[in-house]
Amino acid sequence: MIFEDFERQFERLKPIVIKAMRDIRIKLWDYDDYVQEGRIILFEVLKAGCSEEKLHVYFKVRYRQRLIDELRSTKVQKRMINSLPLTLNVYEHADFLNGNYATPEQEMIYTNLTQEIAERLTPKYQQLLYSQLQGEKLARMDKSRMKQKVKAVLYQYN
């Protein structure tokens, strides 16, 4: 019953949708998109409690304004795409692309944590830790033992 009333009202207002479709042309939309948007607007208008006498005018204004808003947003998106640089100069941004940069806060936390761990290690393992952090290749056994020592230090905090 409610669906039939809704469809009946929409059929009465459908000429507004068709006329607005001719007047306000949105390139990416087809007929079904306009009809769907019309049904959505009609539902919102009925939900707001619009009277039967004002329904025609209220729907027409809301529907046309919605189409104008959509048209404006597509034009803004088009301008944004046109304003983007056409190419990225990789050489200009090479340092950023190659690096693994952190924020100053992250750098401070990393530095403090590294110092605290190094203070709790023996001088031999401190040297191995700093060598590892600088990217030097360690012997497999040294790397394994250093890892165990660092884990032991970290688990002492709990």
Side-chain angles (χ1 to χ4, degrees):
M1 179 68 182
I2 295 172
F3 179 73
E4 293 166 356
D5 289 341
F6 180 83
E7 282 300 316
R8 183 183 49 80
Q9 287 179 333
F10 184 71
E11 287 301 320
R12 269 189 26 230
L13 298 171
K14 203 169 188 178
I16 296 172
V17 172
I18 294 170
K19 183 168 181 344
M21 183 176 72
R22 281 185 264 135
D23 293 344
I24 303 168
R25 194 73 191 136
I26 301 171
K27 290 187 179 186
L28 297 176
W29 282 23
D30 59 2
Y31 176 77
D32 293 332
D33 295 322
Y34 286 96
V35 171
Q36 179 181 6
E37 197 63 38
R39 284 193 169 107
I40 292 170
I41 297 296
L42 178 60
F43 178 77
E44 290 172 357
V45 168
L46 292 174
K47 188 176 175 183
C50 183
S51 66
E52 191 72 31
E53 301 87 39
K54 296 181 181 180
L55 181 64
H56 185 75
V57 173
Y58 196 62
F59 174 80
K60 183 177 181 177
V61 171
R62 288 279 309 267
Y63 184 70
R64 290 184 67 83
Q65 291 303 318
R66 173 67 180 103
L67 292 182
I68 290 169
D69 289 346
E70 184 66 31
L71 184 64
R72 286 179 182 153
S73 74
T74 56
K75 286 184 179 180
V76 166
Q77 290 171 358
K78 184 179 174 183
R79 276 196 307 262
M80 285 175 34
I81 289 172
N82 289 339
S83 68
L84 292 175
L86 296 177
T87 60
L88 173 67
N89 186 351
V90 177
Y91 299 107
E92 184 178 319
H93 303 286
D95 293 337
F96 177 76
L97 293 173
N98 290 333
N100 197 5
Y101 297 106
T103 63
E105 294 86 13
Q106 290 171 334
E107 285 291 329
M108 185 181 74
I109 292 169
Y110 173 76
T111 304
N112 288 340
L113 186 59
T114 305
Q115 287 174 352
E116 287 182 34
I117 290 172
E119 288 172 1
R120 289 180 164 61
L121 294 175
T122 62
K124 175 186 175 190
Y125 288 109
Q126 284 178 358
Q127 183 61 37
L128 288 173
L129 176 66
Y130 289 126
S131 298
Q132 175 71 29
L133 292 175
Q134 291 174 356
E136 295 177 19
K137 196 92 166 156
L138 298 180
R140 186 173 174 186
M141 192 54 85
D142 289 338
K143 187 175 180 179
S144 175
R145 287 184 184 143
M146 185 206 39
K147 220 186 231 185
Q148 289 175 348
K149 297 286 184 181
V150 169
K151 281 182 184 179
V153 169
L154 289 174
Y155 287 125
Q156 286 176 356
Y157 284 121
N158 291 336

